[in-house]
Amino acid sequence: WETCWFKVELSIPLAWEGREVHFVWESDGEGMVWRDGQPVQGLTKEGEKTSYILTSSLKESEPHSLTLYVELACNGLFGAGKGSMIAPPDPDRRVTLNRAELVVFNRDVYELLVDMEILLDMARLLGEENQRSFQALYTANQMVNVCDITDPSTFPAARELAAAIFSQRNGESQHTIHAMGHCHIDSAWLWPYEETIRKCARSWVTVIRLMERNPELTFACSQLRLISVLWQAQQFEWVRSWYPGLYAQILDFVAKGQFIPVGGTWVEMDGNLPSGESMVRQFLQGQQFFQEQFGRICSEFWLPDTFGYSAQLPQLMRGCGIQRFLTQKLSWNLVNTFPHHTFFWEGIDGSRVLTHFPPGDSYGMHGHVEEVLKTVKNNKDKGFVNHSAFLFGFGDGGGGPTQKMLDRMKRMSDTDGLPRVQISTPDQLFSVLEKESSQLCTWVGELFLELHNGTYTTQAQIKKGNRECERILHDVEVLSTLAVARDSVFQYPASQLQQLWRLLLLNQFHDVLPGSCIQLVVEDALQYYTEIRRIGAGLQEEAVQSLCRDLLQPKAGSTESTLVLNTLPWERTEVISRPAPDGTETLALVTVPSMGYALVREPLLPSQPVSVRKQEDGSITMENGMIAVCLDMMGHLTSLRLLDSERSSVPDGCYANQFALFDDVPLYWDAWDVMDYHLETRKPVTTLLKPLEITLSGGLRGSVRFSLQVGKSSTLTQEIILDAKCPYLRFLTQVEWKEAHKFLKVEFPVQVRSTNATYEIQFGHVQRPTHWNTSWDWARFEVWAHKWMDLSEHGFGVALLNDCKYGASAHRNVLSLSL
C-alpha cells in the first residue's frame, strides 16, 4: 500500500504542431499524474485510463517541454490479492511499468472504430427479425469498402455512412434510458481506508477532465464498488482535507449541475446491522455535510451495493427528507428473481418511498449496445413506466466513466431500433418516474438479499465492537444530557461526540461491519472501536461527575454506598457486582428508576433467593421463584420452566443450549456467504473438557460452568447464571476459535408452535416464517436480527437475547444463534 514517485520530463517535437498529443502510461498499479503541484489525471489499466491528454491540438505558443510527476501505487483497481481478487493481499507483490510514451493520438481513426463497434453490435444483437440489424451490417460493409486505411482522406466518407444510420430517429413511444456517470468506490474493502483517499482523487480528477471536454456529462458520485452516482459524505471530507485544489474544482462542477451529490448518508452503510440510532446518525451526518458544503440536502437515498435492506429504512428515509431510493443489489439473489425494477417500497410503519433498480442489474455499465438492449428487455415494469436508469463507469475500486463510454452513447442518443439514451440526472429520472407512478406495485417489508448471509457473523470482534460502541455513545449522550439539565456549568461534548459518531459510522461501511474486507481494514476498524471506548469512557465519567458530584463526595459518618445509574427508559431491579472495601467484588440487588440513578447503601434482600442443587446423575438445577432450570453435565438445558405457568419450554428428549458445528465452504464469496447446503453437515459438539460444576451456590446469584472442545483445535467455556428476581437465564460464552471453514451455532429447541418467528430490527421488529413452504421462505435459511428473536404462541413464548451477535434462524421450533 506504499506509493512511489516518477519524475517525467517531456519534450514534444515541433513537427507535432496541430496534432493531439497524449502522455501514455501503462502499469499494473494505479497511478496519478501531477502537474504544477496538482493532481490532473488518474491512471488505471483495468479502468481503461492509460493516457493523459497534454493538448488536443498542439500550438506553437504552448510549452513543448514540461515536467510531470506520476505517483504509482503498488495495487491495482481491485487491491493486491494473491492469486485471486478476494485472496489476502500479496506482501511480495511487484508492479511493472510497461509503457511510458509520448504519442500522437489519431482522433479520426478512434471515431471510425467507435462507429464500427456500434454498427456491428446492432447487426449482431438486434436479431434477424429486425431490419435495422441488416441496415447496420450493410452499412458497416460499405464503410470497409470505402475506407482505405493508408489514405486518411477516405475516413470522412466512411463516417458519413455511419452518421446516416445513427441519425434515423426513434418513434415517440421508445423507452428512454437515463445515463449517469458513476464510480462506486468502496471506502474500504480489498484495500485500507487510506488507499481509498487516493482512489477518490484518481477517479474524481479523471471525471473533472472528462467534464471539461464533455459539458453534457453528469456524474453521480458514489462510493460503491462498481461506479459513481452517489456522493458519500466521508469521501468528500477526505478529498477536501487531502486534495483542496481538486475539491475546489469539484465544487465548481457541483455549481454547474454536472457533479451531483446523492446518497444522503455519511457512508454507504450496511443496510441490516447498524442500530436504528446509528442509521439516523448516518443520515443526520450525511445530510448536514451536504447542506453545509453544497447548500442542499439529498432527495435520493443511493445504496447500490449493500447486502440487504431493513424494513425500517423507508420510515427513516422519509424522516430525513428523502422520498426516493435507488439500489440494484437484489439482482444478485441466488434463489428468487425480484419481481420489480420500479415500485413503491413500504416500511413497517406504512411509510413509502419510490424505489428504482436499474434494469440492467449493474451500477458499472460501459455504454455497449448489449447493455442498453438488456436494460429494456429485462425491465419488469414495462408498460407502467417508460424510463430507467443506466449507471456507467468502472467502479468498486474506482475508475469511473471513460470518453469511449460517452462516445458510444452519443451515437445511441436517438437511433431507430435502439432505446433512446440521454445523459440525465437522478432528479430528472425520479421526476419522470413520479409522473408515471400511478399504476406501480408496492412491496411491503424488508428487501432481503438471498446471498451473503455469512456477513451477519463474519469477524466476530467487529460485530462486538459495533454493538458495544453503539451502547457507549447512547450512554454518554443520555448522561451528558441529564448533566446539562442539572448543571449550567457543564459543557455538552458535542464536537467530541460528533467525532466518535463519525468513526463508528465509518466502520459501518458495507464491507467493514459485515467483515468482508482484508485484515488490514479489520485492524483499523478494531483500533477505531478502541478509540471510541477510551474517549467514550472519559466523557461518561465527566458527565457522571457533573451529574452526581454531591453524591460522590463521602460524608463523615455515612455508611459505604455505591452509585448505580440506569440509562434505559424503564425501572430495573437487577443483581449488580460492586467493589467491597477490601477490594473484592460483592453482589447487591438494586432497583434504579428509569433514566436515573440510585445510591445503594443497604442492598435489597430477595423475597426468594436462588437455589442451586446438584443431582445424583451429575445434573444441576437452579431456581429463583420465577423460573426453574435443569442442566446436564454437558451444559445442555434439559428443562426451563416458568413457574407461574408450570409449562416447560424445552420439549421432552431435546437439548437446548446445544452447540453445533457446520462445514462452511461457499461457492466463491468466502467471507460473505454461507450456503444452504451447510445445514446438511451439522455435527453436535459432544467432546467434554470440563463437566458442569457449580461456581456460585445461590443466594443473590447461582452459576455453573463447563468447557467443550469444538472441532479439532478450538475450546468453548460457558458460565450459566441465574440471578434473584430475574426472569431469564444468562449464558456467558467464551470461544478460543482456531477452526477454518467451519461455522459454530448454538440451538434452542422450544415447546412453542408458530408459523412465524419475530426478530428485532431498527426501532421495531419483523416476522419471518419458520417453515420452508416456498422458495422465498427457504432462501431465508439464515437471517439477521439485532438484540432478540422470539417464538411465541398465544399466551406463551420464548425469546433468545444476545449482546453482540446478528446471524440467526428459526426453523420449525428451533431458535438458532450464529456465533
Side-chain angles (χ1 to χ4, degrees):
W1 308 112
E2 299 295 326
T3 64
C4 56
W5 290 79
F6 292 80
K7 183 179 181 181
V8 184
E9 295 180 337
L10 303 176
S11 181
I12 305 174
L14 295 174
W16 288 6
E17 285 184 13
R19 310 294 295 275
E20 183 173 338
V21 182
H22 292 196
F23 166 57
V24 172
W25 177 280
E26 285 190 15
S27 65
D28 301 331
E30 291 190 272
M32 173 101 86
V33 180
W34 292 71
R35 183 173 182 176
D36 300 327
Q38 293 295 328
V40 291
Q41 177 68 50
L43 299 167
T44 168
K45 186 165 66 174
E46 297 150 297
E48 297 180 5
K49 297 176 184 69
T50 57
S51 66
Y52 167 51
I53 301 177
L54 296 170
T55 175
S56 57
S57 179
L58 183 64
K59 299 179 178 62
E60 185 179 357
S61 58
E62 289 184 90
H64 285 51
S65 297
L66 65 153
T67 300
L68 305 176
Y69 291 87
V70 177
E71 182 187 18
L72 181 61
C74 297
N75 56 271
L77 198 63
F78 292 97
K82 186 174 184 177
S84 80
M85 182 180 73
I86 61 172
D90 181 2
D92 298 318
R93 180 184 177 94
R94 297 291 182 269
V95 172
T96 304
L97 171 59
N98 300 304
R99 291 179 67 195
E101 298 175 351
L102 198 59
V103 303
V104 170
F105 184 77
N106 195 321
R107 179 68 57 180
D108 289 339
V109 173
Y110 163 83
E111 297 288 358
L112 198 57
L113 288 171
V114 177
D115 286 342
M116 287 293 288
E117 177 192 329
I118 300 298
L119 289 170
L120 292 176
D121 279 350
M122 289 175 66
R124 181 171 57 90
L125 297 166
L126 288 179
E128 291 187 2
E129 69 281 1
N130 191 326
Q131 70 168 358
R132 288 289 281 173
S133 68
F134 290 94
Q135 291 174 355
L137 179 62
Y138 295 149
T139 299
N141 187 65
Q142 284 180 283
M143 290 172 65
V144 172
N145 293 337
V146 165
C147 183
D148 179 353
I149 59 172
T150 65
D151 183 4
S153 67
T154 63
F155 295 173
R159 292 214 60 211
E160 285 174 9
L161 292 169
I165 285 283
F166 298 143
S167 63
Q168 292 176 349
R169 301 306 179 203
N170 272 303
E172 291 184 9
S173 65
Q174 184 60 274
H175 188 89
T176 298
I177 286 175
H178 292 250
M180 294 167 261
H182 191 256
C183 173
H184 178 58
I185 304 174
D186 284 325
S187 289
W189 179 34
L190 304 175
W191 49 85
Y193 285 124
E194 189 169 300
E195 179 59 27
T196 306
I197 301 172
R198 291 190 285 264
K199 283 179 173 288
C200 289
R202 293 181 201 120
S203 300
W204 296 354
V205 75
T206 301
V207 169
I208 294 299
R209 298 288 85 80
L210 274 177
M211 288 180 174
E212 290 170 347
R213 295 190 295 275
N214 303 271
E216 76 281 3
L217 172 61
T218 60
F219 178 75
C221 178
S222 158
Q223 86 177 4
L224 275 189
R225 288 201 299 239
L226 261 180
I227 41 194
S228 178
V229 176
L230 188 166
W231 280 57
Q232 185 198 19
Q234 173 68 82
Q235 293 183 353
F236 279 115
E237 180 62 26
W238 281 335
V239 171
R240 187 168 72 95
S241 301
W242 285 51
Y243 303 95
L246 170 59
Y247 190 73
Q249 294 177 64
I250 289 172
L251 291 180
D252 288 341
F253 282 97
V254 170
K256 293 175 182 176
Q258 289 181 257
F259 215 113
I260 304 165
V262 295
T265 50
W266 187 245
V267 299
E268 286 186 23
M269 74 279 193
D270 180 82
N272 299 323
L273 308 188
S275 69
E277 187 61 35
S278 290
M279 283 193 169
V280 169
R281 300 304 175 106
Q282 288 282 0
F283 284 106
L284 176 67
Q285 294 291 331
Q287 293 286 52
Q288 279 186 341
F289 183 87
F290 293 127
Q291 182 67 53
E292 292 167 3
Q293 294 296 313
F294 312 120
R296 47 154 287 196
I297 63 172
C298 296
S299 57
E300 301 89 15
F301 182 37
W302 207 278
L303 193 60
D305 192 35
T306 197
F307 310 139
Y309 304 86
S310 167
Q312 180 56 272
L313 275 168
Q315 182 180 5
L316 297 181
M317 282 186 246
R318 293 299 295 257
C320 297
I322 292 173
Q323 301 182 38
R324 303 158 166 181
F325 176 49
L326 183 142
T327 185
Q328 63 80 46
K329 197 65 178 185
L330 263 63
S331 66
W332 285 47
N333 272 7
L334 200 61
V335 181
N336 299 285
T337 300
F338 194 77
H340 301 293
H341 283 104
T342 306
F343 59 99
F344 284 105
W345 180 24
E346 186 174 304
I348 59 175
D349 74 322
S351 296
R352 296 202 312 168
V353 291
L354 179 59
T355 301
H356 182 67
F357 297 175
D361 292 342
S362 171
Y363 50 81
M365 296 295 199
H366 292 174
H368 291 298
V369 171
E370 185 174 11
E371 294 169 342
V372 299
L373 292 175
K374 178 184 177 181
T375 295
V376 178
K377 182 179 180 180
N378 202 40
N379 191 338
K380 294 181 174 59
D381 300 283
K382 291 191 287 282
F384 293 141
V385 291
N386 204 28
H387 297 257
S388 56
F390 186 90
L391 310 180
F392 65 95
F394 288 94
D396 285 352
T402 67
Q403 184 64 53
K404 183 173 283 189
M405 295 175 191
L406 280 167
D407 291 337
R408 289 174 182 138
M409 290 184 291
K410 287 175 184 176
R411 288 158 170 80
M412 294 185 281
S413 61
D414 193 4
T415 296
D416 185 27
L418 297 175
R420 188 176 287 110
V421 180
Q422 66 180 45
I423 300 297
S424 186
T425 67
D427 182 63
Q428 290 172 3
L429 168 67
F430 276 103
S431 294
V432 72
L433 290 178
E434 285 166 350
K435 293 176 182 176
E436 298 180 341
S437 65
S438 60
Q439 300 298 314
L440 290 178
C441 299
T442 297
W443 181 270
V444 178
E446 67 183 328
L447 296 173
F448 185 85
L449 178 64
E450 297 172 355
L451 193 68
H452 295 352
N453 315 61
T455 58
Y456 316 145
T457 304
T458 296
Q459 294 293 349
Q461 289 298 326
I462 282 185
K463 306 297 194 288
K464 186 178 179 69
N466 181 72
R467 185 78 64 81
E468 286 183 356
C469 290
E470 287 177 334
R471 177 184 57 77
I472 288 167
L473 293 181
H474 166 272
D475 288 355
V476 170
E477 292 189 333
V478 167
L479 295 169
S480 298
T481 303
L482 293 174
V484 166
R486 289 287 300 272
D487 183 355
S488 60
V489 178
F490 180 79
Q491 292 293 311
Y492 188 84
S495 62
Q496 297 102 309
L497 279 168
Q498 183 181 66
Q499 291 171 3
L500 296 183
W501 268 113
R502 286 184 171 183
L503 270 186
L504 180 59
L505 300 180
L506 176 61
N507 272 357
Q508 290 173 350
F509 174 71
H510 65 251
D511 277 311
V512 179
L513 179 53
S516 50
C517 53
I518 59 172
Q519 179 182 343
L520 194 58
V521 177
V522 173
E523 292 169 358
D524 285 345
L526 295 180
Q527 180 59 40
Y528 292 160
Y529 290 135
T530 300
E531 280 292 290
I532 295 169
R533 291 187 185 101
R534 181 183 64 82
I535 299 173
L539 294 176
Q540 186 169 297
E541 178 66 22
E542 291 173 13
V544 171
Q545 289 289 340
S546 175
L547 181 64
C548 306
R549 185 178 295 111
D550 295 339
L551 299 175
L552 293 170
Q553 301 297 325
K555 295 182 175 59
S558 64
T559 58
E560 191 73 26
S561 61
T562 303
L563 179 66
V564 184
L565 296 109
N566 174 18
T567 56
L568 295 179
W570 58 83
E571 182 181 271
R572 294 159 68 190
T573 299
E574 294 182 14
V575 175
I576 65 164
S577 178
R578 62 174 181 165
D582 61 0
T584 61
E585 295 284 321
T586 62
L587 299 176
L589 180 64
V590 300
T591 297
V592 186
S594 158
M595 292 284 189
Y597 56 85
L599 206 57
V600 180
R601 292 189 174 88
E602 296 297 329
L604 302 172
L605 295 175
S607 55
Q608 183 160 349
V610 179
S611 64
V612 183
R613 297 185 181 89
K614 189 163 188 174
Q615 309 300 314
E616 290 183 1
D617 61 357
S619 65
I620 295 175
T621 61
M622 295 193 289
E623 188 174 325
N624 68 354
M626 301 176 75
I627 60 175
V629 303
C630 182
L631 298 145
D632 70 10
M633 292 180 63
M634 292 281 296
H636 296 134
L637 186 62
T638 57
S639 175
L640 171 62
R641 288 184 299 119
L642 187 64
L643 294 177
D644 284 349
S645 72
E646 282 300 323
R647 178 170 173 174
S648 178
S649 302
V650 182
D652 293 340
C654 293
Y655 295 132
N657 196 38
Q658 170 68 65
F659 293 93
L661 199 62
F662 300 80
D663 291 344
D664 178 27
V665 187
L667 296 175
Y668 177 69
W669 298 100
D670 201 347
W672 290 256
D673 284 347
V674 55
M675 313 306 295
D676 60 317
Y677 52 76
H678 87 280
L679 297 170
E680 301 171 14
T681 67
R682 178 182 180 274
K683 297 179 182 65
V685 176
T686 57
T687 306
L688 187 63
L689 295 179
K690 291 182 181 179
L692 192 71
E693 61 180 3
I694 297 172
T695 49
L696 284 176
S697 56
L700 288 177
R701 173 173 292 170
S703 67
V704 296
R705 181 184 289 124
F706 66 96
S707 296
L708 302 172
Q709 179 176 322
V710 180
K712 292 183 178 179
S713 310
S714 302
T715 57
L716 180 151
T717 301
Q718 189 178 71
E719 185 178 15
I720 303 174
I721 298 170
L722 181 63
D723 284 342
K725 295 183 72 68
C726 185
Y728 53 82
L729 193 60
R730 282 194 294 150
F731 302 83
L732 302 184
T733 311
Q734 209 167 18
V735 181
E736 188 174 347
W737 186 249
K738 297 181 179 179
E739 305 306 300
H741 292 109
K742 299 292 181 182
F743 194 2
L744 180 65
K745 303 184 184 184
V746 62
E747 300 167 344
F748 289 82
V750 296
Q751 198 155 296
V752 175
R753 179 167 175 79
S754 176
T755 55
N756 288 291
T758 306
Y759 303 80
E760 189 202 24
I761 66 169
Q762 300 84 357
F763 299 131
H765 60 265
V766 295
Q767 290 192 323
R768 300 181 179 115
T770 57
H771 55 75
W772 293 343
N773 281 0
T774 71
S775 59
W776 294 88
D777 302 329
W778 161 65
R780 287 183 278 186
F781 59 87
E782 177 81 4
V783 298
W784 63 273
H786 282 193
K787 294 186 288 292
W788 55 264
M789 58 190 298
D790 168 271
L791 192 63
S792 291
E793 58 189 50
H794 180 70
F796 189 82
V798 179
L800 181 59
L801 290 76
N802 75 85
D803 67 354
C804 62
K805 297 296 170 185
Y806 296 92
S809 63
H811 183 51
R812 304 187 71 85
N813 70 322
V814 179
L815 299 176
S816 178
L817 189 66
S818 299
L819 305 179

